[in-house]
Each structure stands twice: as C-alpha cells, then as structure tokens.
Amino acid sequence: MTGRERADGTADGTAGGAAGGRTPPEPCHEEVCLTCSDEAVPARVVRLLDAGLAVAEAGRGAGRETVEISVALVDAQVGDVVLVHAREAIAVLRGVDT
C-alpha cells in the first residue's frame, strides 16, 4: 500500500461513496495528507457542520491546514483539540494546544 491507499482499496480515504447520506471528504492531493498518514494528529475544531462533520485546523505556522473531519465518534465542541486519524476524530484531548 502507498500512503494514500486504505485496506479497503480506496485511494482517497473514502469508502467509494457517501456513507450514511453524508458527502465524503475531498480526496488527498498530496503524497500523504495530514490526516491520511499512519499517525493521528491533533487538530482544533473551528466549526461544527451537519451529519457529524466539522472543520478543523491542524499543523503549525505556515504549515497550518484546514480540513473537514468526522466528529461522529467523539463529543467535540468548537475550540476543542481532537486527535484525528484518517479524517476521523478518535479522541478529545484536554489541556492540549495546537
């Protein structure tokens, strides 16, 4: 597998269509995108969207990136720092700044 392929064979981190009626995130355009790499990264939730989605900022300084993520698995609010893997928030981090 390359850095952009998943075990289900999709190359962009989506499952081949809208799951549960939601629009899948945009495909990766880099060799390895911020939230598709093999590690989870912290990101700050800047806006909550419908259908368990949110807009988050990750990275530091000039490398800061705004991404759409799923927050369906966590109880995240605007301003929270969440741990994101494959565009899915998997934990809310308390006392962490990005």
Side-chain angles (χ1 to χ4, degrees):
M1 282 195 302
T2 68
R4 294 178 55 181
E5 294 176 339
R6 291 173 35 132
D8 63 6
T10 59
D12 65 0
T14 64
R22 70 179 196 195
T23 303
E26 290 293 316
C28 298
H29 298 289
E30 302 295 325
E31 180 63 29
V32 178
C33 79
L34 182 64
T35 60
C36 292
S37 64
D38 289 336
E39 59 186 64
V41 295
R44 182 169 305 281
V45 176
V46 294
R47 186 175 46 170
L48 294 174
L49 305 172
D50 292 333
L53 299 174
V55 174
E57 290 182 345
R60 295 187 185 273
R64 196 155 203 77
E65 183 178 348
T66 301
V67 292
E68 186 174 289
I69 62 170
S70 169
V71 290
L73 299 178
V74 298
D75 184 23
Q77 302 298 318
V78 171
D80 284 347
V81 176
V82 293
L83 193 59
V84 180
H85 177 68
R87 294 190 187 218
E88 184 74 49
I90 57 175
V92 177
L93 302 177
R94 306 287 180 213
V96 175
D97 193 25
T98 61

